[in-house]
Amino acid sequence: MIDRVFSKLKGDRWIWIIVIILSIWSMLAVYSSVGTLAYKNSKGSEVYLIKHTSMIVGGFALMYFSHLLDYRYYAGISKILMIVTIPILLYTLIFGETINDANRWVTIPVINQTFQTSDLAKLALITFLARMLTRKQGNIKDVKKSFIPVMGSVCIIFVLIAWANLSTALMLFGVSILLLIIGRISLKQIALVCVGGGLLLLLVIFVGPRRDTYVSRVNTYMNGGEADPDKSYQADHSKIAIATGGFFGKGPGNSTERNVLPHPYSDFIFAIIVEEYGALGAIVLIALYIVFMYRCIRIVTQSPKAFGALLAAGLGFSLTIQALANMAVAVGLGPVTGVPLPLVSMGGTSILFTSVALGIILSVSRNIEEAKLESNKKVVVGEIPAMG
């Protein structure tokens, strides 16, 4: 039965297994942590579980069809995504839905579903960078032909996202720098990109509409909430959830901090998981993301084409860094941000975009497997002696 299922799923089998485990764990954790939200909106927890499960099923469908498409087609798709992404990000900043003093969401007409446009921008920039770096390998050191187009795309997307979502922009900028290093951009040029990014960061922090929020969060993190305990409320209760979980946890559905923490089903779902499954659960969860990154690195090293290697590296790093950032915030290693835990947090369209990214990685892996099979067939045919 299992072999029959996996025979339909091409690409790295371990990545498929990790995605399935995280998805099941996500349903358990979300169902456990939406009680307060359900009570507030006079709905049953099952309503949110069904909605979340439908998103996971939709994500699996997108992942499956994305991994069937030859990854080389994503080079052309990336151009379309970049052309569409920049106007959408501008539209979001001006007309987007304002939640927690940030314009990050756009409502899709007819279905009345909101989605965070930075999720689309991450996918667009990483695939576009992979394409650009592959196409420019012949004159990669040329400032006019290679450096300026690459730097321009990174900085434009960075500013448009950072204006309303600084944490996501910083992570995406970090992933972009990693891709530039892998893509053989010179260290001098990378340093210039970092300087340019730093100047843009200062512009966003001191001139942007959320400057007071950024300063407040950093001050709260540095001072531990001594000046204003209300501002450290989320971080404090996240630590309480983690501390009371012990090694084996309180058991699924037995969290108490889920009734106190804001957004326990998204931003702080890791704290709820540790409270219910203990340090053992945290170790297993972290191990799953580390193994996922290891499998992505294997795909990078085995890919015969630069574009496939850069795609797997960029998307793999993006998802892993996001996961580590979410967990770091939950344990108090960083200021509070609104970064979800990939494939685990409840978050409609973020699950769908994450699934597409995973599908692209699996497409690269599938191509490697098919190339190996083709190579083996040629070797076997070549060994058969000629008849007559």
Side-chain angles (χ1 to χ4, degrees):
M1 176 68 178
I2 295 176
D3 289 336
R4 191 184 305 167
V5 171
F6 277 107
S7 67
K8 302 292 183 182
L9 305 176
K10 307 299 181 181
D12 193 293
R13 181 170 293 192
W14 281 104
I15 292 180
W16 281 110
I17 292 171
I18 289 168
V19 169
I20 291 169
I21 293 172
L22 289 176
S23 298
I24 294 171
W25 207 341
S26 173
M27 288 187 284
L28 294 172
V30 166
Y31 183 59
S32 173
S33 56
V34 293
T36 304
L37 178 66
Y39 177 79
K40 179 181 177 182
N41 294 326
S42 301
K43 296 180 180 179
S45 299
E46 293 78 9
V47 173
Y48 293 96
L49 176 63
I50 292 170
K51 182 179 179 182
H52 182 62
T53 303
S54 66
M55 283 295 177
I56 290 176
V57 172
F60 263 102
L62 285 174
M63 198 186 314
Y64 179 75
F65 289 113
S66 297
H67 102 292
L68 290 180
L69 182 65
D70 192 312
Y71 75 88
R72 286 167 288 195
Y73 285 107
Y74 291 106
I77 294 172
S78 68
K79 291 175 62 179
I80 300 171
L81 287 178
M82 281 296 288
I83 293 171
V84 170
T85 295
I86 293 174
I88 287 179
L89 287 174
L90 285 169
Y91 177 86
T92 305
L93 289 176
I94 301 171
F95 304 107
E97 296 282 337
T98 303
I99 302 175
N100 296 331
D101 300 321
N103 288 23
R104 302 179 186 176
W105 290 265
V106 169
T107 301
I108 303 173
V110 183
I111 64 174
N112 200 32
Q113 173 72 46
T114 60
F115 83 98
Q116 198 164 321
T117 49
S118 60
D119 291 326
L120 173 63
K122 284 189 291 185
L123 189 63
L125 180 60
I126 291 171
T127 53
F128 185 74
L129 264 183
R131 175 185 180 275
M132 290 283 288
L133 291 171
T134 303
R135 295 284 180 93
K136 303 292 184 180
Q137 283 300 304
N139 50 9
I140 199 68
K141 307 295 183 183
D142 192 299
V143 174
K144 189 174 181 180
K145 293 182 179 179
S146 301
F147 175 67
I148 292 178
V150 170
M151 181 180 175
S153 60
V154 172
C155 291
I156 289 171
I157 297 295
F158 174 74
V159 169
L160 291 176
I161 296 177
W163 213 251
N165 193 347
L166 184 59
S167 55
T168 298
L170 287 173
M171 285 188 291
L172 185 56
F173 187 80
V175 172
S176 300
I177 296 298
L178 288 172
L179 277 180
L180 295 183
I181 294 171
I182 297 171
R184 301 193 306 114
I185 295 287
S186 70
L187 293 178
K188 181 180 178 181
Q189 291 177 344
I190 291 174
L192 288 174
V193 174
C194 292
V195 170
L199 293 173
L200 292 173
L201 175 63
L202 292 175
L203 176 69
V204 170
I205 290 175
F206 293 107
V207 181
R210 305 195 71 210
R211 55 188 177 275
D212 294 336
T213 301
Y214 298 143
V215 173
S216 174
R217 285 181 176 178
V218 172
N219 285 336
T220 300
Y221 173 69
M222 297 299 292
N223 298 321
E226 293 177 4
D228 189 352
D230 290 338
K231 291 184 178 180
S232 64
Y233 181 85
Q234 297 181 81
D236 290 342
H237 280 279
S238 177
K239 293 174 186 175
I240 291 171
I242 291 169
T244 56
F247 188 76
F248 294 104
K250 298 177 180 178
N254 293 325
S255 167
T256 54
E257 289 301 315
R258 63 183 175 179
N259 300 318
V260 182
L261 264 172
H263 312 294
Y265 42 82
S266 55
D267 299 351
F268 289 94
I269 198 166
F270 180 69
I272 304 303
I273 288 174
V274 178
E275 185 182 7
E276 295 187 348
Y277 297 91
L280 180 61
I283 293 169
V284 172
L285 187 62
I286 294 170
L288 288 172
Y289 285 110
I290 292 174
V291 172
F292 164 74
M293 191 65 240
Y294 168 72
R295 301 306 297 184
C296 288
I297 292 172
R298 281 203 66 196
I299 294 170
V300 171
T301 57
Q302 293 177 0
S303 178
K305 302 292 184 180
F307 180 61
L310 290 167
L311 269 182
L315 295 172
F317 276 125
S318 175
L319 294 174
T320 307
I321 290 172
Q322 181 179 329
L324 294 176
N326 175 279
M327 292 185 278
V329 169
V331 299
L333 293 178
V336 174
T337 61
V339 178
L341 191 59
L343 287 177
V344 178
S345 293
M346 185 178 78
T349 51
S350 66
I351 293 176
L352 302 182
F353 283 109
T354 298
S355 299
V356 172
L358 289 165
I360 296 173
I361 295 171
L362 288 165
S363 175
V364 178
S365 176
R366 180 179 66 85
N367 186 271
I368 294 170
E369 289 180 358
E370 290 176 351
K372 285 182 179 178
L373 286 173
E374 190 66 29
S375 177
N376 291 337
K377 285 180 181 178
K378 289 181 180 178
V379 170
V380 171
V381 171
E383 289 176 353
I384 298 175
M387 299 299 291

